[in-house]
Amino acid sequence: MNAFEYKNNLLHAEDVNLRELADAYGTPCYVYSKAAIEANYRAYKNALSQWPSRICYAVKANSNLAVLNLLAKLGAGFDIVSIGELERVIRAGGDVKKVVFSGVAKRSDEIRRALVMGIDCFNIESTAELQRLDAITSEMDIYANVSLRVNPDVDATTHPYISTGLKENKFGVDINDALEIYQQIAKCSHLDAVGVNCHIGSQLLDLNPFQSCYEKIYKLVDQLSDAGIQLKHIDVGGGLGIRYENSEQPPTMQQYADVLAPFMKGRDVEIFIEPGRSIVGDAGILLTRVEHIKSISDKNFALVDAAMNDLLRPSLYTAWHDISTVEKTDGQTTKYDVVGPVCETGDFLGKKRDLSIHEGSLLAVHAVGAYGFVMSSNYNTRLRAAEILVDGDQAHLIRMRETFDQLLANEIIPD
Ligand code: LLP
């Protein structure tokens, strides 16, 4: 579904007029659509309904408590990568029994807290981590489920920064060593190997890497079974891409499930999936206002009030996000680089965009519901943006704009 559409020449989030929202809450602000998040979650649930399945939403994509609460109410599990994310899941009313803990370098205190809270499964990524978990569970006398993250050495053909399934990446263990590691796990008194997991990268638009990955993972599952190790779940990670540019054609969740189907045939295992981007990505926009228009020799800049500290993706990955005016205009367009106030040439939201704008125009930067606000910072002592969740004709402020008092509260000038 597209939750952001023009009605009476004004861009709306569901039934809420974005100009009114900007006037009420100020800019920059993130606006999410509840209906879009729900629709994305349900699309996964439906596509996987032929098997026992658990959708462990990747908290890192958008960790606002209201978003987590919404997904918890839909029955989601959660994929966390830090104890901070676990605290969020708990405070949002998520079920800790449906939490899997990923990440390459879990600290001992994080492991202890997760054990005490009773999360479902530790996705372990190295033998060093296995030894640490073994020692801590024995010492605390708490049992834990584990899944081994295997690195299948598959090229996800995505941006190198978000490609994770190649041998040279820091993630997981070499799939060829997996059997031996499962045999080690079997010897750990307080650990139970219940699953296997993988994650080859994010923003995948091609299903072939998934196919290659499953070939390897399911072969391993059979080898383990032959060795007497029966797994209860297979966690296929996240990674289904979304459409940022019109030319991109992401696979549907049903097509994704169709790739999985032959591998799942005749198996008595639960399928886990850890989607982030495809649940929240297209459900969010960033609202920003044009402060100034600046023209130099052969170039025009739209200087807006959002910057790389609010949305890092364009600067970090040269990611492309559609930018449109909130007011639909039929007027003459001009090419603009849409840039923020931060003192870096790398501070841009979009380049060479055809827009019909003037000082004060409102712009929407699209498909920023995932890895948008969560990657924001206070660089240049800029306050982090407000976040708003729209539900039909209702707008809920789900994160107040930061204040300077909050921003400076932890800083200390020594006597
Ligand atoms: N599971 C694991 C273990 C992950 O590392 C990730 C993402 C996911 C699940 C969720 O993947 P998704 O469904 O969202 O593709 N900041 C980058 C994306 C980094 C993704 C890191 N891992 C960006 O803005 O594109």
Side-chain angles (χ1 to χ4, degrees), residues 58 60 79 162 199 202 239 274-277 313 317 371 375:
K60 63 169 85 70
D79 166 50
I162 53 175
H199 174 72
S202 195
E274 303 169 355
R277 193 189 306 268
R313 301 194 76 254
Y317 314 114
Y371 308 111
M375 291 174 74

Side-chain angles (χ1 to χ4, degrees), residues 44 56-61 79-81 100 102-103 123 125 149 158-159 161-164 171 197-204 235-241 244 273-280 312-313 316-317 319 321 370-372 374-375:
Y44 267 110
C56 293
Y57 168 68
V59 174
K60 63 169 85 70
D79 166 50
I80 60 162
V81 289
V100 298
S102 302
N123 288 350
E125 303 224 12
R149 177 170 178 174
T158 182
H159 190 285
Y161 287 9
I162 53 175
S163 182
T164 52
F171 301 98
N197 64 292
C198 63
H199 174 72
I200 54 174
S202 195
Q203 183 53 12
L204 271 75
D235 179 343
V236 291
L240 206 54
Y244 287 106
I273 187 163
E274 303 169 355
R277 193 189 306 268
S278 45
I279 298 274
V280 288
L312 186 58
R313 301 194 76 254
L316 188 59
Y317 314 114
H321 287 267
Y371 308 111
V374 285
M375 291 174 74

Side-chain angles (χ1 to χ4, degrees), residues 59-98:
V59 174
K60 63 169 85 70
N62 184 326
S63 58
N64 185 289
L65 292 180
V67 171
L68 301 184
N69 174 259
L70 173 58
L71 288 162
K73 283 189 193 144
L74 292 171
F78 296 94
D79 166 50
I80 60 162
V81 289
S82 73
I83 213 64
E85 289 190 348
L86 180 59
E87 294 303 334
R88 283 184 178 275
V89 169
I90 293 167
R91 288 175 200 210
D95 184 352
V96 282
K97 294 270 174 294
K98 291 189 197 163

Side-chain angles (χ1 to χ4, degrees), residues 63-287:
S63 58
N64 185 289
L65 292 180
V67 171
L68 301 184
N69 174 259
L70 173 58
L71 288 162
K73 283 189 193 144
L74 292 171
F78 296 94
D79 166 50
I80 60 162
V81 289
S82 73
I83 213 64
E85 289 190 348
L86 180 59
E87 294 303 334
R88 283 184 178 275
V89 169
I90 293 167
R91 288 175 200 210
D95 184 352
V96 282
K97 294 270 174 294
K98 291 189 197 163
V99 168
V100 298
F101 193 172
S102 302
V104 282
K106 301 173 191 76
R107 293 192 316 260
S108 297
D109 64 292
E110 292 186 297
I111 292 173
R112 285 173 200 280
R113 173 82 178 140
L115 283 170
V116 168
M117 293 316 298
I119 65 157
D120 180 40
C121 188
F122 287 83
N123 288 350
I124 55 177
E125 303 224 12
S126 62
T127 46
E129 186 186 349
L130 172 59
Q131 283 155 15
R132 178 174 290 184
L133 189 60
D134 179 31
I136 295 175
T137 47
S138 301
E139 177 213 308
M140 292 176 78
D141 194 18
I142 298 182
Y143 292 83
N145 287 334
V146 295
S147 165
L148 188 63
R149 177 170 178 174
V150 293
N151 184 326
D153 195 23
V154 166
D155 187 354
T157 58
T158 182
H159 190 285
Y161 287 9
I162 53 175
S163 182
T164 52
L166 283 170
K167 231 182 183 136
E168 70 241 35
N169 299 137
K170 67 181 173 183
F171 301 98
V173 301
D174 187 329
I175 194 159
N176 301 310
D177 300 334
L179 176 57
E180 203 184 311
I181 300 173
Y182 275 99
Q183 282 160 344
Q184 282 178 39
I185 299 171
K187 292 188 196 129
C188 298
S189 61
H190 287 66
L191 300 183
D192 190 9
V194 294
V196 61
N197 64 292
C198 63
H199 174 72
I200 54 174
S202 195
Q203 183 53 12
L204 271 75
L205 294 173
D206 179 4
L207 289 170
N208 289 324
F210 285 117
Q211 166 96 25
S212 311
C213 176
Y214 300 154
E215 277 162 14
K216 295 190 177 185
I217 299 287
Y218 282 78
K219 192 170 155 208
L220 170 66
V221 173
D222 288 338
Q223 282 169 353
L224 292 172
S225 171
D226 291 345
I229 300 165
Q230 300 295 346
L231 301 182
K232 296 189 183 114
H233 77 248
I234 299 175
D235 179 343
V236 291
L240 206 54
I242 64 168
R243 174 178 291 136
Y244 287 106
E245 295 193 53
N246 272 339
S247 59
E248 288 173 333
Q249 191 62 52
T252 62
M253 283 143 202
Q254 192 52 55
Q255 287 168 330
Y256 177 82
D258 290 345
V259 171
L260 204 53
F263 296 98
M264 286 299 285
K265 212 168 176 179
R267 286 183 196 270
D268 183 22
V269 284
E270 191 171 0
I271 191 92
F272 285 14
I273 187 163
E274 303 169 355
R277 193 189 306 268
S278 45
I279 298 274
V280 288
D282 65 2
I285 57 140
L286 174 63
L287 264 185

